[in-house]
Amino acid sequence: MKILVVGDIVGAPGRKAFAQVCAALRSEGRIDIAIVNAENAAGGRGLTRALGEELFEAGADVLTTGDHVWDQKEIKSYLEQEYRVVRPLNMPPACPGKGFTTINTDFGPLSVVDLVGRVFMGTKPHDCPFRTVDALLESKVLPDGPIFVDLHAEATSEKIVMGRYLDGRVTCVYGTHTHVQTSDEAILPGGTAYITDLGMTGSKDSAIGRDLKSITEMFLTGMPAPFKVAEKDVALEGAIIDVARGAREASSIERIRVKVPECHE
């Protein structure tokens, strides 16, 4: 089974890039499943029901989120009704939705866990991601089969430690949130595929997907400014992980970046 994991989709350019690249990879037989971080799909802030459905129609099988999950009010009911969309598991348990899901595939069940980091991630009351994922794995609620963990976090150290901490217990640990792809993809000693950050799916002629002019003005003046989604030089970033049928460990991980022209509104 070949699973595509996609870095944070930013706005309409990112959504359109995902649709084009996912369709091409499926037609070429390079992927069977797509797990997509939709944290910034709605104009760079959160996810809506309509955009979630758009991404599923474009080929996504599971959508993960992160610290911007509550930016769009309608996401609460969508999370409660759509099991393929998850919010970070280590948010307070009273939050709507779930932090993990299992989908049935032609290769058997596949589980996806969403976590948010705590280092440099503001003052929101997130529980410890390490203890939270420990409790989930020890509960045995996840069926046999691959387990993918999206750690939406700022600090590379937090992501690196999580990868080693879960090595041999899950199939893949990958980082999201920074929108900058790292080049450290590897199969760890215990068989877990790992990469510190997948990058993003959106404009590369930007500041993490946002228009450079407004971001530059903010840095020069210190004044708040509206951040438009950038539209030029669009690419999909992520990785493809290969898992043998019935296996928990990964066989390989391939980092990818695919440029897609003309993906603006």
Side-chain angles (χ1 to χ4, degrees):
M1 175 166 50
K2 298 173 182 177
I3 300 100
L4 170 69
V5 287
V6 179
D8 305 45
I9 288 182
V10 183
R15 299 195 310 270
K16 293 178 181 180
F18 168 71
Q20 291 186 34
V21 175
C22 185
L25 292 174
R26 285 187 186 274
S27 67
E28 295 166 5
R30 292 185 62 190
I31 64 168
D32 303 297
I33 302 294
I35 304 169
V36 178
N37 188 288
E39 162 80 352
N40 303 118
R45 298 190 67 88
L47 176 69
T48 65
R49 179 186 298 269
L51 297 182
E53 295 304 303
E54 176 185 319
L55 291 170
F56 284 129
E57 291 176 7
D61 294 284
V62 175
L63 302 180
T64 59
T65 55
D67 60 311
H68 285 298
V69 63
W70 310 122
D71 285 5
Q72 304 292 328
K73 292 182 179 180
E74 64 188 84
I75 193 64
K76 297 178 182 179
S77 61
Y78 191 43
L79 281 169
E80 291 171 340
Q81 297 166 8
E82 177 53 80
Y83 76 96
R84 296 173 297 172
V85 182
V86 291
R87 48 86 171 163
L89 179 64
N90 57 317
M91 286 183 166
C95 290
K98 294 180 65 176
F100 65 91
T101 191
T102 299
I103 61 171
N104 293 316
T105 76
D106 292 340
F107 303 86
L110 180 147
S111 300
V112 179
V113 182
D114 196 5
L115 298 169
V116 65
R118 296 200 296 182
V119 181
F120 308 135
M121 292 293 286
T123 58
K124 294 179 181 178
H126 303 140
D127 294 334
C128 173
F130 295 88
R131 289 196 294 269
T132 300
V133 73
D134 265 344
L136 175 65
L137 296 176
E138 291 168 5
S139 73
K140 306 297 184 183
V141 69
L142 299 180
D144 290 338
I147 300 173
F148 279 63
V149 178
D150 178 346
L151 177 55
H152 197 76
E154 184 77 21
T156 55
S157 58
E158 191 173 19
K159 298 177 188 180
I160 290 168
V161 173
M162 181 65 80
R164 275 45 175 195
Y165 188 69
L166 294 179
D167 185 23
R169 294 196 282 163
V170 303
T171 307
C172 180
V173 177
Y174 58 91
T176 57
H177 180 68
T178 70
H179 295 207
V180 178
Q181 188 180 63
T182 58
S183 60
D184 60 342
E185 71 279 6
I187 302 296
L188 301 178
T192 294
Y194 175 80
I195 183 169
T196 297
D197 204 286
L198 295 176
M200 72 171 184
T201 300
S203 168
K204 305 305 294 179
D205 183 18
S206 71
I208 61 172
R210 302 303 185 95
D211 178 69
L212 280 166
K213 182 178 179 181
S214 58
I215 301 291
T216 303
E217 181 179 348
M218 181 196 70
F219 279 118
L220 289 174
T221 66
M223 297 295 292
F227 297 158
K228 297 180 180 179
V229 173
E231 299 181 340
K232 297 180 180 179
D233 192 20
V234 178
L236 177 144
E237 293 180 333
I240 298 173
I241 294 86
D242 199 353
V243 184
R245 184 184 292 270
R248 172 64 57 83
E249 66 273 10
S251 303
S252 66
I253 178 170
E254 174 192 359
R255 174 169 45 96
I256 64 168
R257 175 183 293 147
V258 183
K259 290 196 173 185
V260 184
E262 302 300 323
C263 281
H264 52 76
E265 294 277 18

